[in-house]
Amino acid sequence: MQTHIDLNCDLGESFGPWKMGNDAGVIPFVSSINIACGFHAGDSRTMQQTLILAKLHGMRGLAIGAHTGLPDLRGFGRRELALDAQDLYCDTLYQLGALAALAKAAGLTIRHIKPHGALYHMLEQQPKLAHSFVSAAKDFSPTLQIYGLAQGKLLSCAAGLGMPVKHEIFADRRYLPNGGLVPRGQPGAVIEDANIAAAQVMQVLQHGKLTALDGAELALAADTVCIHGDRADAAEFAAALHTQLCASGVRIGAGT
Amino acid sequence: MQTHIDLNCDLGESFGPWKMGNDAGVIPFVSSINIACGFHAGDSRTMQQTLILAKLHGMRGLAIGAHTGLPDLRGFGRRELALDAQDLYCDTLYQLGALAALAKAAGLTIRHIKPHGALYHMLEQQPKLAHSFVSAAKDFSPTLQIYGLAQGKLLSCAAGLGMPVKHEIFADRRYLPNGGLVPRGQPGAVIEDANIAAAQVMQVLQHGKLTALDGAELALAADTVCIHGDRADAAEFAAALHTQLCASGVRIGAGT
Amino acid sequence: MQTHIDLNCDLGESFGPWKMGNDAGVIPFVSSINIACGFHAGDSRTMQQTLILAKLHGMRGLAIGAHTGLPDLRGFGRRELALDAQDLYCDTLYQLGALAALAKAAGLTIRHIKPHGALYHMLEQQPKLAHSFVSAAKDFSPTLQIYGLAQGKLLSCAAGLGMPVKHEIFADRRYLPNGGLVPRGQPGAVIEDANIAAAQVMQVLQHGKLTALDGAELALAADTVCIHGDRADAAEFAAALHTQLCASGVRIGAGT
Amino acid sequence: MQTHIDLNCDLGESFGPWKMGNDAGVIPFVSSINIACGFHAGDSRTMQQTLILAKLHGMRGLAIGAHTGLPDLRGFGRRELALDAQDLYCDTLYQLGALAALAKAAGLTIRHIKPHGALYHMLEQQPKLAHSFVSAAKDFSPTLQIYGLAQGKLLSCAAGLGMPVKHEIFADRRYLPNGGLVPRGQPGAVIEDANIAAAQVMQVLQHGKLTALDGAELALAADTVCIHGDRADAAEFAAALHTQLCASGVRIGAGT
């Protein structure tokens, strides 16, 4: 059985006067965080506040990453946009650099990048975009870790370019037989119960597989597990998942 | 007589499908450039293209800076906005970092920062904002040069915080008796004739003074001279100014 | 004693994925609503949803208005912007028209306009802007009612141009001796207790005056009372105020 | 031979400080104009200026329409966005209403709507979006004319909903054998020569057909011909096309 796992969560998704998520409630239970960079959510002040929150929890080795997205606040980066590969390269560096400067001013360093929303899925489907995204990450720093769909095409591209990768599974999302996620809005897409979510994660850690929505078994290995911070019960869910994994003998940590 | 001067120009002010200025025409004649960072003009792709253009001219020691502005594309950063000091701190780091990441990916480094438009004037009038701006620059890099109004309050604040400064005068703008610029839109605000602009610069270099619009004499010392890239005749104006200064025995360079 | 009053509330202040306020909780207790039009808050879909909500409550003669603001989502229209008078004229018509088209498609009509946030205060201080705002409203419809600060300069301008006006007081804000509001962020700016808010309103209705923060008495007459929809307890506050006014013999209604 | 045709052009595509196109140069030669509404280009002030320009040419019966687009200034509405049908409905009404209010204030009326850029093509491919678009137009006004691809699916949907339609061909774009346009960026997509463009239009008017890029013949009937206002030679092209069509006995006019 795999005995270490990273728990990651998307934070800093407020914007201007509008609040989203329960960052302070979730952060004690995760080992890495992905901070929105102003394109699909967040703004410079929210980024700073999230970094300060992260710093308070940094003694545990919390890993900080950029959560980069499509330029679409109103759609929260969840609407596919026919983005040019070169624009994606530039947008990715822009967001990475913006967060890095705010992080440095707070005494912190960015260790990973994770694509958000529709971009996450576009990178699995469009190899040119995946190459642009990874190239931007590499030109930012050749040691920046890429978080992406476990055993997916983005990470395969990243590994091919010599970049460190973290295979990600979702605790609270159900899977299609092809390894993709059941799209939001379809029945069964989201796992509400933290016990079932924990069981899904343990199945991967113990047996290297996961049961898709239709009952098919997917072979999956994971380095990191995503918890969604925009659930109404985000903090409780994170706490419950953290507790159950620890009780099953799994140590939570971002690793190296 | 002062025999060295920096010529700087604001570049990268296009946005998406819209072009502004004649960057390729102006860049041969200046020794430092200020690149818009997406808040008042520019976008990540335009920033990259401007950096690539700068790299082609880099053998001459062209200095690259961030031209940071208010978040107001439609108003081109020329409308005052009652910005909170902490928001300005964060917005400044955000823009600096975004440009820095794109610059690093292009093999370049940012050496200075210059505030744009209404922000330029707000920093002379609001000490709290000036302090936030300089603090952001310092937290980005303690060697980042601050370009600002010659003998103005921003640079006085910057020097007080130990930051290197460059006193800026404007070749093609006329001055008020108090040392400020005649606001755009008022008669006589802009000097159209490159000969007159060169004479204004030479008056500062030779005699340390400049004649204001009303005939008053201002004591002024300058490290850098701003040329506007959005003039219709920007390239010709830059070439003429460059030629006349050289003919008067002045060497153009960004210095150290 | 004045026996009729309008209660108005700002609704539709969500944006994209971000929720704000408790529109459904507040709407039963007010007689007119002001809908954000996408510049400082709201988006086309949120506007439609707010209109549909309003339609469900329309049998009571709920009056629908446009809440127009500065183009600054991140700052929620609360940061002053040095807007050109002609730009304000155009922005006002743009927002009015956008809401009017969505209202017409929902079988509703816009009856009033109210400026939001920093714009509300700018219109009291800058007569040129007030004139632009009222002119836009008049060119939209000469019967559109203008909501503004009771006995303030916007309404004086509006009346001078022949437009119908509604003098507004704030139930939950304290006043300066000059008739302006104590700025948000200053101690005592907001009245938390609905009983005290109701007493402030009743003082105006019964005696035509209101006690400012410093104890001074202001002569004030009101046609409409603003309730803020972004309070945490917005629905409870609205219900309590509604109840107390009715208990004091005041009828709530938008009037003609 | 068909002896009447409408010439339409997209105008008002400037944004803030950035200019695009040569509106004043093109407008004398067209019989209908499509004004950008602030989503992909334009802003409220640019819209007003375009309307004032149109009014100066209104004695000729110039028809004014809304050119509605995707919310993507940077991409100029040319990047497909996975827009929800209900969002499109609301965005369309929002843009229509905004222009209508500015038009009314200028003493003008909107007579048609035309989708812009990527939206134009999405409406041919996604029936749900086409239905939303037409429904918004119909709810705005049941007599609003819909401009769309000649013999395409948008107009077929519009006709099915009882809306008046105008079949559009492009003077300066080449066609695919399936009736779609050769995508921008592909060789031969744009016809540079006004003589060839005029010949393409005359082939449709005289013979009801058009030769695709691969030589195939397409059966096409047209009510209106689009001229692009963002060509470098837009005014000359429009003048040449206008002259040639008139010389061939075709009368230019928006019709009823």
Side-chain angles (χ1 to χ4, degrees):
Chain A
M1 184 184 106
Q2 183 181 337
T3 56
H4 286 78
I5 194 77
D6 176 46
L7 287 188
N8 80 76
C9 185
D10 308 336
L11 296 195
E13 294 184 331
S14 295
F15 171 67
W18 294 281
K19 301 303 162 203
M20 184 183 286
N22 179 1
D23 290 5
V26 171
I27 205 169
F29 305 109
V30 297
S31 42
S32 66
I33 62 169
N34 323 304
I35 301 178
C37 296
F39 273 45
H40 69 278
D43 54 59
S44 67
R45 184 78 171 269
T46 300
M47 289 159 77
Q48 186 198 41
Q49 290 169 338
T50 310
L51 287 160
I52 289 170
L53 179 68
K55 199 171 167 89
L56 295 174
H57 291 269
M59 64 288 292
R60 295 183 294 104
L62 185 70
I64 293 161
H67 201 207
T68 63
L70 298 173
D72 178 21
L73 284 168
R74 180 175 163 189
F76 196 53
R78 286 191 174 150
R79 309 190 288 195
E80 280 207 21
L81 177 72
L83 199 62
D84 177 76
Q86 191 62 18
D87 282 342
L88 176 62
Y89 174 87
C90 295
D91 281 2
T92 303
L93 277 167
Y94 186 99
Q95 293 176 73
L96 272 170
L99 182 63
L102 285 156
K104 183 178 168 235
L108 299 169
T109 307
I110 298 182
R111 221 171 72 172
H112 65 273
I113 185 173
K114 174 178 158 177
H116 166 82
L119 182 60
Y120 194 93
H121 301 291
M122 289 161 67
L123 297 180
E124 294 300 317
Q125 290 149 10
Q126 302 185 44
K128 271 181 76 170
L129 291 186
H131 191 271
S132 278
F133 181 84
V134 175
S135 298
K138 187 173 183 175
D139 288 348
F140 177 78
S141 162
T143 61
L144 193 73
Q145 297 173 358
I146 315 283
Y147 282 41
L149 189 69
Q151 285 82 61
K153 293 190 176 163
L154 171 63
L155 295 196
S156 154
C157 168
L161 289 168
M163 295 294 284
V165 299
K166 292 262 180 142
H167 294 271
E168 178 180 55
I169 59 168
F170 293 82
D172 67 351
R173 292 291 296 276
R174 282 212 182 70
Y175 282 74
L176 296 168
N178 70 0
L181 299 178
V182 176
R184 284 174 189 280
Q186 289 192 15
V190 175
I191 299 177
E192 299 297 341
D193 185 329
N195 294 317
I196 299 176
Q200 173 162 294
V201 173
M202 286 309 301
Q203 191 189 12
V204 173
L205 298 185
Q206 289 179 314
H207 307 295
K209 65 187 185 189
L210 184 151
T211 307
L213 187 60
D214 72 341
E217 294 209 329
L218 298 170
L220 271 186
D223 301 310
T224 185
V225 175
C226 180
I227 302 177
H228 285 101
D230 57 351
R231 296 174 61 111
D233 65 344
E236 296 74 13
F237 187 90
L241 189 70
H242 190 281
T243 303
Q244 295 216 15
L245 293 179
C246 291
S248 305
V250 177
R251 273 183 287 173
I252 312 293
T256 51
Chain B
M1 183 185 105
Q2 182 180 338
T3 57
H4 286 77
I5 194 77
D6 176 45
L7 288 188
N8 80 75
C9 186
D10 308 336
L11 296 195
E13 294 185 332
S14 295
F15 173 66
W18 293 282
K19 301 303 162 204
M20 185 184 285
N22 178 3
D23 290 6
V26 170
I27 206 169
F29 305 109
V30 297
S31 43
S32 65
I33 61 170
N34 323 305
I35 301 178
C37 296
F39 273 45
H40 68 278
D43 55 59
S44 67
R45 184 76 171 269
T46 299
M47 290 159 77
Q48 186 198 43
Q49 289 169 339
T50 310
L51 288 160
I52 290 170
L53 179 68
K55 199 173 166 89
L56 294 175
H57 291 268
M59 65 288 292
R60 296 183 293 103
L62 185 70
I64 293 162
H67 202 205
T68 63
L70 297 173
D72 178 20
L73 285 168
R74 180 175 163 189
F76 195 54
R78 286 190 175 152
R79 309 190 288 195
E80 280 207 22
L81 177 72
L83 199 62
D84 176 75
Q86 191 63 17
D87 281 342
L88 176 63
Y89 174 86
C90 295
D91 281 1
T92 303
L93 277 167
Y94 187 98
Q95 293 176 72
L96 271 171
L99 182 64
L102 285 155
K104 184 178 167 235
L108 298 169
T109 308
I110 297 182
R111 220 171 72 172
H112 65 273
I113 184 172
K114 173 177 160 179
H116 167 82
L119 182 60
Y120 194 93
H121 302 290
M122 289 161 67
L123 297 180
E124 293 300 317
Q125 291 149 8
Q126 303 183 46
K128 270 181 76 169
L129 291 186
H131 190 271
S132 278
F133 181 84
V134 175
S135 298
K138 187 172 183 176
D139 288 349
F140 178 77
S141 162
T143 61
L144 194 72
Q145 297 173 357
I146 315 283
Y147 283 41
L149 189 69
Q151 286 82 62
K153 294 189 176 163
L154 171 63
L155 295 197
S156 154
C157 168
L161 289 167
M163 295 294 285
V165 299
K166 292 262 180 143
H167 293 271
E168 179 180 55
I169 59 167
F170 292 81
D172 66 352
R173 292 291 295 277
R174 283 212 182 70
Y175 283 72
L176 296 168
N178 69 0
L181 299 179
V182 177
R184 283 176 189 279
Q186 290 191 14
V190 175
I191 299 176
E192 299 298 342
D193 185 328
N195 293 317
I196 299 175
Q200 172 161 295
V201 173
M202 286 309 301
Q203 191 189 10
V204 174
L205 298 185
Q206 288 180 314
H207 307 296
K209 64 187 186 190
L210 184 151
T211 308
L213 187 59
D214 71 342
E217 293 211 329
L218 298 169
L220 271 185
D223 302 309
T224 185
V225 175
C226 179
I227 302 177
H228 286 101
D230 56 352
R231 295 174 61 109
D233 65 343
E236 294 74 14
F237 186 91
L241 189 70
H242 190 280
T243 302
Q244 296 215 15
L245 293 179
C246 290
S248 304
V250 177
R251 271 181 289 173
I252 313 292
T256 51
Chain C
M1 184 183 106
Q2 182 180 338
T3 57
H4 286 78
I5 194 78
D6 176 46
L7 288 187
N8 79 76
C9 185
D10 308 336
L11 297 194
E13 295 185 331
S14 295
F15 173 67
W18 293 281
K19 300 303 163 204
M20 184 183 285
N22 179 2
D23 290 5
V26 171
I27 206 169
F29 304 109
V30 297
S31 43
S32 67
I33 62 170
N34 322 305
I35 301 179
C37 296
F39 273 45
H40 68 278
D43 55 59
S44 67
R45 184 77 171 269
T46 299
M47 289 158 78
Q48 186 198 42
Q49 290 169 339
T50 310
L51 287 160
I52 290 170
L53 179 67
K55 198 172 166 87
L56 295 174
H57 292 268
M59 65 286 294
R60 294 183 293 103
L62 185 69
I64 294 163
H67 201 206
T68 62
L70 298 172
D72 178 21
L73 285 168
R74 180 175 163 188
F76 195 53
R78 287 190 174 151
R79 309 190 287 196
E80 280 206 20
L81 177 71
L83 200 61
D84 176 76
Q86 191 63 17
D87 281 342
L88 176 63
Y89 174 85
C90 295
D91 282 2
T92 303
L93 276 168
Y94 187 98
Q95 293 176 74
L96 272 171
L99 182 64
L102 285 155
K104 183 178 169 237
L108 299 169
T109 307
I110 298 182
R111 219 170 73 172
H112 65 274
I113 184 173
K114 174 179 160 179
H116 167 82
L119 182 60
Y120 194 92
H121 302 291
M122 289 162 66
L123 297 180
E124 293 300 318
Q125 291 150 9
Q126 303 183 45
K128 270 182 76 170
L129 291 187
H131 190 271
S132 279
F133 181 84
V134 175
S135 298
K138 187 173 183 175
D139 288 348
F140 177 77
S141 162
T143 61
L144 194 72
Q145 298 173 356
I146 316 282
Y147 282 42
L149 189 69
Q151 285 83 62
K153 294 191 176 162
L154 172 63
L155 295 197
S156 154
C157 168
L161 289 168
M163 295 293 285
V165 300
K166 292 262 179 142
H167 294 271
E168 178 180 54
I169 58 167
F170 292 82
D172 67 351
R173 291 290 296 277
R174 282 210 182 71
Y175 282 73
L176 296 168
N178 69 1
L181 299 178
V182 177
R184 284 175 187 279
Q186 290 192 14
V190 175
I191 299 176
E192 299 296 343
D193 185 327
N195 293 317
I196 299 176
Q200 172 161 294
V201 173
M202 284 309 300
Q203 191 188 11
V204 174
L205 298 186
Q206 289 179 314
H207 308 295
K209 63 188 186 188
L210 183 151
T211 308
L213 187 60
D214 71 342
E217 293 210 330
L218 298 170
L220 271 186
D223 302 310
T224 184
V225 176
C226 180
I227 302 177
H228 285 101
D230 56 350
R231 296 174 62 109
D233 65 344
E236 294 76 12
F237 186 90
L241 189 70
H242 190 281
T243 302
Q244 295 215 17
L245 292 179
C246 290
S248 304
V250 177
R251 272 183 286 174
I252 313 292
T256 50
Chain D
M1 184 184 107
Q2 182 180 338
T3 56
H4 286 77
I5 194 79
D6 176 46
L7 287 188
N8 79 76
C9 185
D10 308 337
L11 296 194
E13 295 184 331
S14 295
F15 172 67
W18 293 281
K19 300 303 162 205
M20 185 184 285
N22 178 3
D23 290 5
V26 171
I27 205 168
F29 305 108
V30 297
S31 42
S32 66
I33 62 170
N34 322 305
I35 301 179
C37 296
F39 273 46
H40 68 278
D43 54 61
S44 67
R45 183 77 171 269
T46 299
M47 289 158 78
Q48 186 198 43
Q49 290 169 338
T50 311
L51 287 160
I52 289 170
L53 179 68
K55 198 171 167 88
L56 295 174
H57 292 268
M59 65 287 293
R60 295 183 294 102
L62 186 69
I64 293 162
H67 201 206
T68 63
L70 298 173
D72 178 20
L73 284 168
R74 180 175 163 189
F76 195 54
R78 287 192 173 149
R79 309 189 288 194
E80 280 207 20
L81 177 71
L83 199 63
D84 177 75
Q86 191 63 17
D87 282 342
L88 176 63
Y89 174 86
C90 295
D91 282 2
T92 303
L93 276 167
Y94 187 99
Q95 293 176 74
L96 272 171
L99 182 63
L102 285 155
K104 184 179 168 235
L108 299 170
T109 308
I110 298 182
R111 220 170 73 173
H112 65 274
I113 185 173
K114 174 179 159 178
H116 166 82
L119 182 60
Y120 193 92
H121 302 290
M122 289 162 67
L123 297 180
E124 293 300 317
Q125 290 149 11
Q126 302 184 46
K128 270 181 77 170
L129 291 186
H131 191 270
S132 278
F133 181 84
V134 175
S135 298
K138 187 173 183 176
D139 288 349
F140 177 77
S141 162
T143 61
L144 193 72
Q145 297 173 357
I146 316 282
Y147 282 41
L149 189 70
Q151 285 81 62
K153 294 189 176 164
L154 171 63
L155 295 197
S156 154
C157 168
L161 289 167
M163 295 293 285
V165 299
K166 291 262 180 142
H167 294 271
E168 179 180 56
I169 59 167
F170 293 82
D172 67 351
R173 293 291 295 277
R174 282 210 182 70
Y175 282 74
L176 296 168
N178 70 1
L181 300 178
V182 176
R184 284 174 188 279
Q186 289 192 15
V190 175
I191 299 176
E192 300 297 344
D193 185 328
N195 293 317
I196 299 176
Q200 173 161 294
V201 173
M202 285 309 301
Q203 192 188 9
V204 174
L205 298 185
Q206 289 179 314
H207 307 296
K209 65 188 185 187
L210 184 153
T211 307
L213 187 60
D214 72 341
E217 294 211 329
L218 298 169
L220 272 185
D223 302 309
T224 185
V225 175
C226 179
I227 302 177
H228 285 100
D230 56 351
R231 296 175 61 111
D233 65 343
E236 295 75 11
F237 186 90
L241 189 70
H242 190 280
T243 303
Q244 295 215 16
L245 293 179
C246 290
S248 305
V250 178
R251 272 183 286 173
I252 313 292
T256 50

